[in-house]
Amino acid sequence: MKKILVTQTSMPPYEEFCEEIKSMWNTKYITNSGPKHQELEQKICEYLQVENTSLFTNGHLALYTALKILKMKGEVITTPFTFASTINAIVENGLTPVFCDINPHDYTIDSSKIENLITDKTCAILAVHVYGNACDVENIEKIANKYNLKVIYDAAHVFGVKYKNRSICEYGDISMLSFHATKVFNTIEGGALIYKDNKKYSRLKALKNFGIDDDGYIIEESINAKMNEFQASMGLCNLRHFREELSKRERVFNKYKELLKNVNGIKLNELQENVTPNYAYFPILVDKHKYGKTAENLFNILKENNIYSRRYFYPLVSDYEYYNNLGYESSNTPIAKKISENILCLPMYADLDLQDVVNICQIIKNNQS
Ligand SMILES: *Cc1c(COP(=O)(O)O)cnc(C)c1O
């Protein structure tokens, strides 16, 4: 059987990319916020209908910079059910992550449990829109206003997702998008920050360029995280095809849903009310008692058939060995712990053959015991 990976990068037609980068052989302008970079920022603003987009070389450095520009001290309430990047960005900024449990429906932070974790050291909430599911943005906003906290969203999974017909990135002080090759929209590697208040964040441009401002002065020590022109060109091409990308993903999603909806012990990720999805991932929750096997068993069975699913996110960030010294106990977030042990992301990408989906689902059904 042919090898099927959990994801496959969407690429524009080869000729289209060549055409896009051609002008650079005349201009010799290949980085430092050149014309492609500027055009992509503008096109993303138009596509998402947001006011400001600032491009970065990757999502992680964008998130790191979002936390840096807010100049905070103390504790950040966040979720353990995320990728290493979220927590690393907090710790790299000298801040302390405080883990809040998630809700069992959409796997995002359980907003009803946030208030209990607030202390006089709390400065922000960093929530993650997992798998394309929207966090409880309205309640999070209420809590943040009540306690005067900043809200940052790790929106790495939600490019194109809308809540009540507006970009989900409109919520919070700053949202971070990732354009890594494995994400729904890619610029090879890449990322962006989305924010409303342009004045407040005018230092962003300097912060991703060693702290050098438009006049050449160094205003503060900082990193280099500029998106280059080749990345931006890939983004311009992929953005032209993004609607098609979504409709192809929707077909795959619907096929999986049709075939797996009645399998005992397999719970699917439900689409949320008021949310326009982007079909970024296809996570299933394996109930070992009802299905008869664990998520790990199923992962291995699929692997024997040359199908590579992903235990994403397992283990929880709070169980990482290198964070042992911070004294976390994943038993304090029992729902996250349980979801993490039982979750499996099935292969999901625009060009996944529907016949392959049929085969994957057949293996899942045949191995129920
Ligand atoms: C991909 C991802 C990131 C990091 O983005 P990069 O562009 O790979 O640096 C951060 N958070 C989450 C949840 C992600 O999935």
Side-chain angles (χ1 to χ4, degrees):
M1 213 171 152
K2 73 175 174 196
K3 188 169 179 170
I4 299 173
L5 299 179
V6 69
T7 186
Q8 186 183 87
T9 302
S10 288
M11 295 175 79
Y14 174 69
E15 294 75 18
E16 185 180 338
F17 185 67
C18 290
E19 193 55 38
E20 191 66 50
I21 61 174
K22 210 170 176 179
S23 60
M24 284 187 240
W25 268 257
N26 294 323
T27 62
K28 315 286 191 214
Y29 211 136
I30 61 173
T31 187
N32 285 9
S33 303
K36 301 289 179 191
H37 184 287
Q38 289 170 34
E39 189 183 344
L40 185 59
E41 282 188 347
Q42 186 202 331
K43 291 264 160 73
I44 287 174
C45 283
E46 279 166 22
Y47 184 76
L48 299 180
Q49 292 182 292
V50 295
E51 283 165 54
N52 303 290
T53 299
S54 180
L55 295 173
F56 283 75
T57 194
N58 61 53
H60 180 70
L61 289 175
L63 185 60
Y64 168 83
T65 308
L67 294 173
K68 185 176 162 93
I69 201 165
L70 292 170
K71 287 193 185 295
M72 302 180 292
K73 281 199 179 74
E75 298 172 352
V76 176
I77 296 175
T78 188
T79 164
F81 193 66
T82 186
F83 186 52
S85 168
T86 319
I87 311 309
N88 293 357
I90 295 173
V91 174
E92 285 161 353
N93 270 284
L95 298 159
T96 307
V98 171
F99 292 110
C100 180
D101 211 354
I102 60 173
N103 74 65
H105 319 293
D106 57 30
Y107 318 130
T108 65
I109 198 165
D110 184 341
S111 66
S112 71
K113 292 182 179 155
I114 292 177
E115 279 195 85
N116 267 339
L117 297 170
I118 295 177
T119 69
D120 54 6
K121 294 199 195 98
T122 309
C123 57
I125 300 166
L126 200 184
V128 183
H129 299 301
V130 192
Y131 305 135
N133 293 338
C135 294
D136 187 0
V137 286
E138 283 160 359
N139 203 25
I140 291 172
E141 190 168 285
K142 257 188 230 149
I143 297 166
N145 288 341
K146 184 169 166 193
Y147 294 91
N148 195 22
L149 305 175
K150 301 288 182 200
V151 179
I152 304 98
Y153 284 106
D154 178 331
H157 294 183
V158 284
F159 186 82
V161 170
K162 289 183 196 161
Y163 177 68
K164 294 185 175 167
N165 255 335
R166 286 165 66 209
S167 171
I168 188 73
C169 297
E170 291 267 297
Y171 289 83
D173 293 276
I174 309 183
S175 291
M176 176 276 286
L177 292 165
S178 166
F179 305 148
H180 184 262
T182 55
K183 303 296 204 282
V184 281
F185 167 73
N186 86 82
T187 61
I188 311 171
E189 293 251 9
L193 294 180
I194 308 288
Y195 50 96
K196 283 193 218 88
D197 194 338
N198 200 19
K199 261 216 189 102
K200 203 149 120 200
Y201 302 122
S202 60
R203 279 162 44 245
L204 262 188
K205 202 172 162 204
L207 284 184
K208 63 181 172 187
N209 188 31
F210 307 99
I212 305 173
D213 72 5
D214 283 342
D215 300 323
Y217 291 107
I218 299 199
I219 54 171
E220 69 181 274
E221 64 72 35
S222 200
I223 54 165
N224 175 17
K226 303 183 295 291
M227 176 181 281
N228 69 51
E229 293 289 279
F230 283 84
Q231 291 174 288
S233 298
M234 186 63 127
L236 286 168
C237 294
N238 279 334
L239 195 56
R240 276 180 214 125
H241 299 279
F242 191 66
R243 281 174 213 278
E244 191 189 333
E245 166 86 20
L246 285 187
S247 66
K248 283 169 146 185
R249 282 177 174 271
E250 186 180 8
R251 280 174 57 228
V252 175
F253 177 91
N254 286 337
K255 194 76 191 168
Y256 267 130
K257 196 170 161 186
E258 172 198 328
L259 297 172
L260 292 179
K261 67 175 184 237
N262 293 322
V263 181
N264 196 22
I266 300 290
K267 184 175 170 274
L268 308 185
N269 182 41
E270 294 298 327
L271 296 183
Q272 298 165 292
E273 218 178 301
N274 293 323
V275 173
T276 314
N278 68 355
Y279 312 103
Y281 298 88
F282 201 90
I284 59 171
L285 207 56
V286 184
D287 181 328
K288 64 180 172 225
H289 303 296
K290 289 190 195 149
Y291 181 71
K293 292 195 176 74
T294 64
E296 189 182 7
N297 296 149
L298 186 54
F299 170 87
N300 286 320
I301 291 164
L302 289 168
K303 195 168 144 194
E304 283 157 22
N305 287 278
N306 232 357
I307 294 157
Y308 292 80
S309 60
R310 187 171 174 198
R311 299 188 70 193
Y312 189 62
F313 306 100
Y314 174 85
L316 289 183
V317 184
S318 45
D319 280 334
Y320 287 174
E321 237 171 75
Y322 66 84
Y323 281 139
N324 270 354
N325 61 338
L326 296 178
Y328 294 121
E329 238 344 302
S330 60
S331 55
N332 292 337
T333 55
I335 294 170
K337 194 173 171 68
K338 187 167 168 222
I339 302 287
S340 163
E341 279 160 8
N342 299 326
I343 203 97
L344 202 59
C345 284
L346 299 180
M348 170 50 117
Y349 48 89
D351 288 328
L352 182 60
D353 207 315
L354 292 188
Q355 188 53 49
D356 290 332
V357 176
V358 172
N359 296 343
I360 292 167
C361 295
Q362 203 52 52
I363 294 168
I364 295 172
K365 286 182 192 168
N366 290 347
N367 281 282
Q368 188 179 36
S369 50

